[in-house]
Each structure stands twice: as structure tokens, then as C-alpha cells.
Amino acid sequence: GDNAPVALMLDVTINGTPLPDIAIGELTSAGDLILPEAFWAAARLKRPTRALKLANGTTGYALGSVPALNYSLSLAQMTLIISAPADSFMAEAVDMRKDRSALPEQAPPGGYLNYDISITRSSSGSLNYGGLLDAVLFTGGSSLVARTVFRGSNHAQDLQVVRTETYWQKDLPDKMVSIVVGDATSSEGGWSQPVRYGGVRIGRNFRLAPSIITFPLPSISGSAALPSTIDLLVNNITQQSNIKVTPGAFDIRNLPVVTGAGDINLVVTDLRGVQNVLTRNYYSSSELLTPGLSDFSFEAGALRREFGLKSNQYGAGFVAASWRQGVTQWLTVQGRGELQRERQAAGGEVVLKLGSVGLARGAASYSSGRLWIGDGASSGAHYLVGFERISRKGSFTVEWEHFDEGFERFGNYASVSKPRELLRVGGGLSPFRGVSLGVSYIDQRSWAGDRF
């Protein structure tokens, strides 16, 4: 009838760019042009909220319902010319991070010996010698490592050999996890200190995926009404050219940057040769973790004593665990707990990016009990706050720590002087290319009254 819609097969041009395929639509008796889902997907235009039914039963939308969009329909030539602003198009994301997730091939069985030997002879005729030896056997993702140190002289006529580390390690590259049985080193947990021990460790090992970038990378957004190309500059150095984007909003993600403060420039050139420059300041730090990425360590064993002096000197047993989590682009948190018969400790750390200014961190922990049998149990807290800013022109860092007298550090002996306060301040400038100047200051006080 006269009210039946008219089926159309149209050549479509959007902002001067023709679509590769014919668009099949319908023209209603009221003059509304209805185009099917396939057209909106190909044109990357945002769909109106109201869906309509075409004569063939498929879903379509009225082109005239898009705000600020203008079009010209020629029934004689079967052409449709559309003029649309950038915000009428769907957003496009361009990820600059390359996919390098391929797992390494399993190694065939093998082994090697690594050595570092030193011999010194004086004019008096005395001869001193020493060295380090590493013996490694490996197959697949497993390795057995034995390390020793030896030393002696022609006066003592006695060669001393000390075992330093012996352990078996199993690597799981697909999970970025390593399992160590034997001598190992604990994680720090942000507020603790690493210790050597003999036992078991299961933890994250980012070295198994050397191409992974663990810290958040910046992004920059913009829009283009016409198909355009983008040149990416970081700190005025071209990183990539001729990145092609379609009309609409775009988001360039995971930009390749160095850590510290800097600036990103996007030079957007459309089909007419018109250029626009988008600029954004950023701050990036490896102290942060990418949102959703975690770093963890579970440890159990006995603390190592007199490492490098005695082969098999072990002390108190312990169980410890730490977990570090990237929460957002600007926030990373970490928690750790340590459990021993005479000491228990727990604490956490927060690392916070302050926009493009710098990085702040804070940590607090509490320990109860003693590592040795002495004059009764003690307890206390430990606090840490710090700030850093690193840029091409210079850097500044400051960190302050306070230890209560009853706070016992992980792995300390009874004879170790207890710290009270520690202040570290550092700064640097690069006044000329190839020239840098730096200064640092440390103020350390102990509960025994010592000051350095």
C-alpha cells in the first residue's frame, strides 16, 4: 500500500569517507530512514535508544534520531551522505602494549659450572686466594643449584670451604610462579627486611616473563571527526608513527614510557592534513602494580645464621606470607605476616601515585614477643612514610621511619642495636646533557643513644 516502507540499497559516505559495503535500509511513509544493525556496526555510529523493526523482521534504528547528525539522501542516485561530529561515533581503544605472552620452550637436561677466583701475592711472599663456585644441573623447568665459597693462604696452610646455598627450584612460566626448596631469601613486605633461611618458598617470579611490564602505563584520549593518523611522542621523542584511527573518540592505552615524570604528545592528522596536538603529563613508577596483577610469597623454614662463615648454621623457625596487589592505576597495597615461637609480626603498606606530581608510600607494622630467650616479651610498632619525584630535570626523595623500642625486626640478633628513627633525603639535578649532580643525607638514631 501507500504506507508500506520503501526498501533502499545505498552507497554511504560518512564525513567524506565511503563505506566499503552497500547499506540496505527502509524509508518510511513519514520520511524516516531506518538502517539495520549491520550498518551501525560498520559505520561505528552510536545507536539511538529506540529500536525499530524492519520489514524483514530485523532490528534497525532511525538515522534522524542521532543528535547533531545531518544527512542527505538521493533516491535518484541511491546515495546517502552523512556528516557527523566526533562524539556520534563509538569510542576506539588502541593498545600500544605488544602481545609477548609466548611461553619459553622447555630446556633439555644440562648443567654448568660458574666460578670467580682471586689470588693475591704480596712483596713479602704471602699468598692469599679465594673464590666462589656455582654448580647447576637443570632439566625442563627444574634446576638444582649448589654454591660454595673457599679461601686460604700459604701461611695458614688450611683451605676453608663453606657451603653458602643449596636449593632445588621449579619454575612455572605460565603462572609466573617459582617453588624453591632449600636455601632461599624472604620477601620484604614493604616494612620488613629480607632474611636468608633454609626451607620452602612459593612465590611470584616476574623474571619468568621478561617481556611483562608490571607497573601501570599511562593512556591518553581524544577524538577525531575524520579518519586520522597519530604520531606518538614521549618526552619529545617519537615512539611510533602513523597509528590509524577511525572517526570518533579514541583511547591510546599502555603507552611506552620510562619511569618518573614526563609528558606525552599526540599529533593527530586527519584526511585534510589538519593537525591537532594533544598533550598530557604523566608519572609512572615500578613501585606500583598494574590493576589486577598480584605479587605474593609464602615462606617457611629456619633462619640462616653466619652466612658465608659456616655451612650449616640455622636458628629459629618461622612461617611468613606476603601479598601485594594492584588495585587501581594509582594505588597498590601490600600486607605481610610473620609467625615465630617467640615473635609475631604483621603489617601493611600503601603506595599512592599523586597524579603527575610523584609517588607517596606509607607502611605500619606491629611485632610482639622476642626472638631470643631474655628478660621477658616486648612489643612495639614501626611506621614509615616517604615521597619521591623523578624527572628528566632532577629527582627528590625523602623517607622517614620510626621504631618503637619494643619492635623486633625480622631475623635480628639480641646483640643488634635497635634503631629508633631513620631519615633519608636525596636529590639530584641534570643542569646539562650528560651531567648530573646529586646529594644525599642520612640521619639514623638508635635506642642505645647512638647517632649516625
Side-chain angles (χ1 to χ4, degrees):
D2 294 338
N3 293 327
V6 178
L8 303 174
M9 299 180 65
L10 302 170
D11 283 320
V12 183
T13 300
I14 301 179
N15 290 353
T17 303
L19 290 185
D21 297 323
I22 297 294
I24 300 175
E26 290 182 358
L27 184 64
T28 67
S29 59
D32 293 328
L33 180 59
I34 314 299
L35 295 166
E37 284 275 8
F39 162 80
W40 297 90
R44 296 186 57 256
L45 286 170
K46 294 179 181 177
R47 297 167 177 80
T49 55
R50 183 187 176 193
L52 302 172
K53 287 292 184 182
L54 297 171
N56 59 7
T58 60
T59 301
Y61 301 89
L63 188 61
S65 299
V66 180
L69 181 145
N70 298 309
Y71 70 89
S72 174
L73 175 64
S74 172
L75 296 178
Q77 299 178 351
M78 284 294 178
T79 59
L80 174 64
I81 299 175
I82 300 173
S83 176
D87 57 6
S88 297
F89 296 88
M90 300 291 291
E92 179 182 12
V94 180
D95 196 331
M96 302 300 296
R97 183 169 49 194
K98 296 179 180 179
D99 184 13
R100 301 175 182 172
S101 57
L103 296 177
E105 296 182 2
Q106 291 288 325
Y112 63 87
L113 180 68
N114 196 32
Y115 58 89
D116 187 354
I117 299 174
S118 174
I119 302 175
T120 304
R121 182 181 180 89
S122 66
S123 58
S124 63
S126 62
L127 185 71
N128 296 285
Y129 55 89
L132 301 171
L133 295 176
D134 294 350
V136 181
L137 298 175
F138 58 84
T139 179
S142 301
S143 56
L144 180 64
V145 180
R147 295 189 172 121
T148 60
V149 58
F150 67 90
R151 47 186 169 260
S153 68
N154 60 349
H155 292 299
Q157 298 294 324
D158 184 24
L159 176 64
Q160 183 184 14
V161 180
V162 177
R163 183 189 66 84
T164 57
E165 292 179 291
T166 307
Y167 62 89
W168 171 81
Q169 179 170 323
K170 173 66 176 178
D171 294 327
L172 306 173
D174 56 331
K175 296 180 175 60
M176 292 187 293
V177 170
S178 289
I179 303 170
V180 178
V181 179
D183 295 297
T185 303
S186 70
S187 63
E188 297 182 41
W191 53 266
S192 186
Q193 63 180 1
V195 300
R196 294 186 179 274
Y197 69 95
V200 178
R201 179 180 185 270
I202 302 174
R204 185 76 77 197
N205 186 356
F206 290 123
R207 290 177 296 178
L208 297 177
S211 64
I212 188 175
I213 299 175
T214 60
F215 56 91
L217 295 174
S219 61
I220 186 170
S221 300
S223 63
L226 298 173
S228 304
T229 59
I230 295 176
D231 295 332
L232 168 65
L233 292 84
V234 177
N235 297 328
N236 292 324
I237 299 175
T238 301
Q239 299 293 327
Q240 192 164 340
S241 301
N242 296 321
I243 305 170
K244 290 181 170 54
V245 293
T246 53
F250 57 80
D251 186 16
I252 310 296
R253 301 174 181 173
N254 295 313
L255 297 171
V257 298
V258 295
T259 54
D263 53 77
I264 302 166
N265 291 316
L266 290 187
V267 181
V268 184
T269 307
D270 65 21
L271 289 177
R272 301 167 297 174
V274 177
Q275 288 188 339
N276 288 309
V277 179
L278 305 175
T279 301
R280 179 191 166 183
N281 297 326
Y282 74 87
Y283 194 90
S284 184
S285 174
S286 58
E287 295 294 317
L288 293 166
L289 277 182
T290 300
L293 189 63
S294 62
D295 188 7
F296 59 87
S297 180
F298 302 100
E299 306 143 6
L303 297 176
R304 188 76 183 267
R305 298 302 190 192
E306 300 188 72
F307 177 81
L309 300 176
K310 296 184 178 180
S311 297
N312 300 293
Q313 190 77 10
Y314 293 91
F318 77 95
V319 175
S322 62
W323 190 280
R324 184 166 164 248
Q325 183 72 44
V327 181
T328 66
Q329 292 279 338
W330 47 268
L331 177 64
T332 295
V333 298
Q334 180 166 344
R336 178 174 172 84
E338 299 162 351
L339 179 62
Q340 298 171 265
R341 185 172 65 89
E342 292 121 356
R343 174 188 175 273
Q344 303 82 44
E349 181 189 35
V350 174
V351 180
L352 183 66
K353 186 178 72 167
L354 305 176
S356 60
V357 176
L359 195 75
R361 60 186 295 231
S365 56
Y366 184 86
S367 78
S368 176
R370 286 195 179 276
L371 282 171
W372 60 90
I373 304 299
D375 51 11
S378 66
S379 60
H382 165 223
Y383 307 99
L384 179 152
V385 291
F387 172 81
E388 74 164 33
R389 175 175 170 81
I390 301 172
S391 70
R392 290 176 295 162
K393 296 180 180 179
S395 62
F396 173 75
T397 61
V398 58
E399 192 171 83
W400 173 82
E401 289 185 80
H402 170 78
F403 302 83
D404 287 348
E405 188 173 9
F407 183 84
E408 303 290 353
R409 303 192 76 183
F410 192 30
N412 274 7
Y413 292 95
S415 59
V416 174
S417 178
K418 288 187 175 182
R420 181 173 182 168
E421 285 189 88
L422 176 61
L423 175 66
R424 290 184 289 265
V425 182
L429 293 173
S430 298
F432 311 107
R433 184 170 181 175
V435 176
S436 61
L437 305 172
V439 62
S440 62
Y441 172 80
I442 297 175
D443 186 356
Q444 180 175 297
R445 306 169 189 237
S446 73
W447 282 99
D450 303 323
R451 184 179 182 187
F452 169 75

